[in-house]
Amino acid sequence: MQDSGISILFKGVNFQRLLGGLWVTMRIALITIALSAVLGLVFGLVMLSRRRAPRAICRAWLEIVRFMPQLVLLYLVYFGFARLFGWDLDGETSAVIVFTFWGTAEMGDLVRGAVSSIPLHQRESAAALGLTPLQASRYVLIPQTVRRLLPQAINLSTRIIKTTALVKMINVTEVLKVGQQIIGQFYRLREAPFWVYLTIFILYFLICWPISALAGWLEKRWA
Amino acid sequence: MKNIARIAALLLALVLTLTTASAALADGYRTLDEIRDSGKIVIGLFSDKKPFGYVDENGEYQGYDVYLARRLAEDLGVALEIVSLDAPNRIEYLQSYKVDVVLANFTYTEDRAQQVDFALPYMKVALGVVSPDAALITEPEQLNGKTLIVSKGTTAETFFEANYQEVNLLKFDSYTEAYIALIDGRGDALSTDNTEVLAWAIENPGFTVGIESLGSLDTINPAVTKGNETLLNWINEEIVRLGRENFFHADYEATLRETYGPNADADSLVVEGGVVE
Amino acid sequence: MDWSFISAHVPDFIGGAWVTLRFGLYGVACSAILGLLCSMVQVFRVPVLRAVVRGYVELSRNTPLLVQLFFLYAGLPRIGIRLSAEACAVVGLTFLGGGYMAEAFRSGLEAVDRSQREAGECIGLTLPQTVRYVVLPQAFATAAPALFANMIFLIKETSMFSVLAMMDLMNVADTLRTSGGRTIEVLSMLVIAYVAILLPVSVLATLVERRMRYAGFGHQHSV
């Protein structure tokens, strides 16, 4: 077999399987993003509430997320909970649970930051102009909050997509594992690892870059 | 200090909630009848350990273990669902009921037998050590002070940890990573099943198996979750049945002959009917 | 809880924690330097380098560290560039962290008013001197929260080093888990170890930020 490394990608269904592996992580990422967006909004608003107890829970949640690498949380849920509670969680479900736990906290922090960064005088000016609190929210506060929030929220999405690569470590057959299976087809490994891992690197870049470019463009436009 | 108290309180609340919820979600192994009724059997196999369990360029699983897996499903009258495993998670997948059977080239050891139930053997195996031709390792003592690459969760790892503590072990999660490391010179040698390293060395010029048989002569057996008697008994009966038609020799011819070559002796590897010669 | 198991393996965890901390800090230091240089290139609009830095930041922020590590460790040797596991660890962290540090420093530098530079000129300082004695201290004060957040982030990212066969904290825990079972004990020790490393860093960060606020620089924290 005198194949050069790169041709390994085009043999049979190898490349399709690589994309299939990528879809596994994308699926996890998309579900996580959707859940985190909704729950994060709630989380953020809770953090701004005047009641101490809910705020304290949120702070503790944030601290856990802050001090634990996501991989550790993944292990805790996938291996720990399975042992402690006898749950039959597969890798993907565990990943969604853990990443949503993390994503919600991050999103909530962004929401809190965006809302509290609106200067007080905006609210006061709106009242001075005769707007009711509801109108003030709708026409003045929310648009401004969204403008501050959206670029960072989109960046968070990119981070979530990147983090889903971690499921490799809990034996989910995602793109890196498929890549290894492809490498394992050819004993004369030689350049195969270089091309396979480079391809995966480029694939992630092609997915994440447009999204963060969008965030950057929005930020400039709404600066 | 306040933050730590908050975290502790939250964790406690979480644990209590989860414990109460756990009863609903707990599971168990699937008995033979349950497997038949469900129409599929879930078998854990290697996806990067050529020629025993790997995925070819058409996305199909191939290999000595896979051949057996397909036959088991066929004889049971169910579809085969394959789960890709790496060496370190074979036991765990059985214990958490994620697979019904493990056919990932699983060596029988007494320690493992405490955690899973093994069926009759279908392959002989010992440990082997492969190293570059230029710096061939022929005795395990030569590895003292040197670096040996192993895959986590294999008998090679346990063997060297127990018997050769002077050897530095470089541990990887999968076979692919371990072999790449050997080629890149990250270690002076690699050790795993001799059947495996032999096959790999044949296809990779520049490397030779310097130590062809190390440690005890072991067998490769199918494994099921501890206590899964119905399935275990069926597999044992099946292996005896298959022995009568020389199934494993046919398996060897179909999956391993090409690798080992025409002069290799199938009987040095194959165990027919669960009886070790 | 098997306490004998725990006490028997404390040394392993300390060893792992030391690897995590050491390489985390190497990564932080190198990426901080890289980030500072990149941010200065961007803020002072150095012609060609600016585009290079831009490309680098986009590349590093849109690919997961895990993929970068596989590529560095298993891919590059196939084309002749063989880095040791430790080198891959530091290069990987620096590549990833540099982009984030650059953003942090850039916002810090941009927050320093132009007039500061002009004032420096007025009292006879050269540009390098102005940067060193006037601009940077203020920039650092503004950037401090983000810098420390990056530091904690990078130390957490070391949890992937098992792919380099390095015995960091996560790998120690994983090896123990796969060879011996005792999942609950192992995971508990893992969690405690990470908190033990990151809590002091977080406390240090808060102290430093507080001191800077006292001096009049940096954010006046409201929330």
Side-chain angles (χ1 to χ4, degrees):
Chain A
M1 284 192 281
Q2 284 303 307
D3 304 294
S4 79
I6 195 172
S7 65
I8 196 176
L9 286 169
F10 302 113
K11 283 203 182 297
V13 298
N14 281 344
F15 194 70
Q16 282 102 297
R17 286 186 53 233
L18 215 53
L19 292 179
L22 204 54
W23 171 237
V24 170
T25 44
M26 283 307 124
R27 209 168 50 215
I28 297 173
L30 288 172
I31 299 176
T32 303
I33 290 171
L35 289 173
S36 301
V38 172
L39 294 173
L41 213 57
V42 173
F43 190 96
L45 294 174
V46 168
M47 279 189 90
L48 291 163
S49 90
R50 256 165 268 166
R51 320 255 312 276
R52 276 244 201 103
R55 253 185 20 231
I57 296 180
C58 290
R59 292 281 284 275
W61 184 327
L62 258 176
E63 292 291 297
I64 294 176
V65 159
R66 204 169 175 231
F67 286 121
M68 284 297 116
Q70 285 106 326
L71 191 53
V72 173
L73 293 173
L74 211 47
Y75 264 60
L76 283 177
V77 170
Y78 186 64
F79 295 116
F81 287 12
R83 277 309 154 99
L84 267 182
F85 308 122
W87 287 4
D88 182 19
L89 288 173
D90 69 346
E92 294 187 38
T93 314
S94 309
V96 170
I97 293 175
V98 168
F99 295 149
T100 305
F101 182 80
W102 163 65
T104 303
E106 291 262 357
M107 181 69 178
D109 204 39
L110 289 179
V111 167
R112 182 191 59 82
V115 170
S116 44
S117 72
I118 311 268
L120 192 57
H121 65 71
Q122 290 287 320
R123 242 172 287 221
E124 294 167 347
S125 317
L129 284 175
L131 296 174
T132 68
L134 199 61
Q135 286 173 318
S137 292
R138 201 179 140 201
Y139 293 108
V140 177
L141 299 172
I142 290 183
Q144 288 189 53
T145 313
V146 169
R147 279 177 202 214
R148 276 164 222 232
L149 180 60
L150 208 50
Q152 291 183 296
I154 296 180
N155 270 326
L156 178 60
S157 305
T158 312
R159 278 190 289 147
I160 290 176
I161 294 175
K162 289 191 297 175
T163 309
T164 52
L166 286 179
V167 296
K168 157 98 180 61
M169 314 301 276
I170 56 168
N171 319 314
V172 172
T173 305
E174 46 66 75
V175 64
L176 282 166
K177 182 64 190 168
V178 172
Q180 290 184 341
Q181 290 171 355
I182 293 174
I183 293 172
Q185 285 167 11
F186 291 81
Y187 267 154
R188 294 211 186 122
L189 297 174
R190 305 308 154 182
E191 308 109 54
F194 174 77
W195 292 109
V196 170
Y197 289 130
L198 180 64
T199 306
I200 295 173
F201 184 89
I202 292 174
L203 285 174
Y204 266 105
F205 182 75
L206 289 177
I207 292 181
C208 292
W209 185 53
I211 301 176
S212 51
L214 172 67
W217 178 75
L218 282 177
E219 205 168 2
K220 285 221 177 83
R221 219 179 138 218
W222 288 340
Chain B
M1 251 353 249
K2 245 205 286 183
N3 265 335
I4 298 178
R6 284 197 205 130
I7 296 174
L10 181 65
L11 283 174
L12 191 61
L14 261 175
V15 171
L16 285 172
T17 326
L18 293 171
T19 325
T20 41
S22 73
L25 290 164
D27 220 323
Y29 57 72
R30 301 201 300 158
T31 62
L32 188 63
D33 289 328
E34 285 171 345
I35 291 173
R36 279 212 175 98
D37 290 337
S38 74
K40 72 169 188 212
I41 185 169
V42 183
I43 302 189
L45 294 157
F46 275 120
S47 61
D48 65 346
K49 193 183 182 189
K50 205 172 171 188
F52 299 100
Y54 66 101
V55 185
D56 71 10
E57 60 223 28
N58 297 316
E60 299 291 324
Y61 273 81
Q62 308 288 357
Y64 188 76
D65 295 331
V66 180
Y67 195 89
L68 173 62
R70 293 223 162 91
R71 183 57 187 268
L72 287 183
E74 194 187 309
D75 286 348
L76 206 48
V78 297
L80 173 63
E81 183 178 306
I82 298 179
V83 171
S84 161
L85 293 184
D86 286 314
N89 44 58
R90 291 175 292 190
I91 293 182
E92 192 264 318
Y93 265 62
L94 283 175
Q95 289 181 324
S96 52
Y97 321 118
K98 293 185 172 72
V99 295
D100 299 311
V101 188
V102 165
L103 285 180
N105 228 233
F106 209 5
T107 309
Y108 176 97
T109 70
E110 300 217 343
D111 271 338
R112 289 173 177 173
Q114 311 277 346
Q115 309 199 56
V116 299
D117 280 339
F118 282 104
L120 291 170
Y122 63 93
M123 200 176 127
K124 293 180 223 171
V125 77
L127 291 177
V129 177
V130 60
S131 41
D133 289 342
L136 202 62
I137 302 283
T138 50
E139 295 293 321
E141 287 74 22
Q142 292 169 357
L143 287 168
N144 285 337
K146 292 210 166 91
T147 306
L148 178 69
I149 298 168
V150 292
S151 185
K152 274 191 211 170
T154 56
T155 45
E157 181 194 11
T158 337
F159 179 80
F160 278 93
E161 290 221 292
N163 301 309
Y164 290 94
Q165 272 127 15
E166 306 275 313
V167 180
N168 299 321
L169 292 178
L170 209 59
K171 302 183 189 188
F172 289 95
D173 283 314
S174 74
Y175 275 103
T176 312
E177 291 169 59
Y179 281 127
I180 293 178
L182 181 65
I183 292 183
D184 290 340
R186 306 246 180 230
D188 299 292
L190 183 150
S191 178
T192 181
D193 299 340
N194 54 3
T195 44
E196 166 61 24
V197 288
L198 218 48
W200 188 83
I202 290 173
E203 299 223 8
N204 280 276
F207 293 91
T208 305
V209 178
I211 304 178
E212 288 197 1
S213 182
L214 187 59
S216 53
L217 249 50
D218 292 319
T219 57
I220 302 268
N221 304 39
V224 301
T225 312
K226 207 149 198 38
N228 196 347
E229 274 182 34
T230 52
L231 186 55
L232 185 65
N233 292 335
W234 183 84
I235 295 180
N236 284 332
E237 288 159 16
E238 174 77 356
I239 289 187
V240 173
R241 271 196 294 267
L242 293 175
R244 290 194 211 112
E245 63 177 75
N246 254 353
F247 171 81
F248 289 104
H249 280 89
D251 188 354
Y252 182 100
E253 295 302 318
T255 60
L256 299 180
R257 174 60 68 191
E258 198 192 317
T259 309
Y260 290 121
N263 299 321
D265 176 18
D267 284 314
S268 63
L269 183 150
V270 172
V271 172
E272 201 68 79
V275 180
V276 181
E277 308 283 313
Chain C
M1 271 296 205
D2 185 353
W3 294 104
S4 61
F5 179 89
I6 291 182
S7 53
H9 290 285
V10 164
D12 296 324
F13 274 88
I14 293 181
W18 179 228
V19 170
T20 297
L21 192 58
R22 227 168 72 221
F23 282 90
L25 292 176
Y26 293 156
V28 167
C30 294
S31 56
I33 296 172
L34 179 61
L36 184 58
L37 293 172
C38 287
S39 65
M40 293 211 277
V41 162
Q42 285 180 308
V43 169
F44 295 114
R45 303 180 192 272
V46 180
V48 174
L49 281 180
R50 201 169 167 219
V52 172
V53 165
R54 183 78 203 289
Y56 156 67
V57 169
E58 291 300 309
L59 209 57
S60 70
R61 295 192 70 176
N62 288 305
T63 48
L65 178 63
L66 194 60
V67 176
Q68 292 167 15
L69 289 179
F70 269 108
F71 179 70
L72 285 170
Y73 188 67
L76 281 187
R78 307 281 85 245
I79 58 166
I81 306 173
R82 186 180 168 284
L83 299 168
S84 71
E86 290 78 12
C88 288
V90 177
V91 169
L93 279 183
T94 308
F95 185 80
L96 177 77
Y100 287 98
M101 291 294 194
E103 289 298 298
F105 278 120
R106 190 167 64 84
S107 62
L109 283 169
E110 285 174 356
V112 178
D113 211 60
R114 226 161 178 214
S115 59
Q116 295 288 316
R117 250 188 275 175
E118 293 164 358
E121 239 186 274
C122 283
I123 58 172
L125 298 174
T126 66
L127 187 59
Q129 283 176 323
T130 318
V131 167
R132 197 178 146 203
Y133 294 108
V134 176
V135 176
L136 273 185
Q138 294 186 59
F140 184 74
T142 312
L147 292 176
F148 279 106
N150 287 340
M151 185 171 168
I152 292 182
F153 167 71
L154 285 173
I155 295 177
K156 290 197 297 183
E157 292 288 290
T158 61
S159 54
M160 293 173 224
F161 285 173
S162 64
V163 308
L164 307 172
M166 276 175 67
M167 277 310 196
D168 73 300
L169 207 43
M170 193 74 222
N171 203 6
V172 166
D174 192 43
T175 310
L176 277 177
R177 185 188 61 82
T178 54
S179 63
R182 304 254 69 114
T183 319
I184 307 297
E185 285 81 353
V186 167
L187 289 177
S188 310
M189 292 172 80
L190 183 63
V191 168
I192 292 173
Y194 269 109
V195 173
I197 292 178
L198 292 171
L199 194 58
V201 174
S202 173
V203 166
L204 177 70
T206 318
L207 281 175
V208 171
E209 287 166 35
R210 203 173 290 161
R211 288 202 88 204
M212 299 207 136
R213 224 179 301 147
Y214 169 71
F217 303 136
H219 292 147
Q220 309 301 320
H221 275 240
S222 52
V223 212

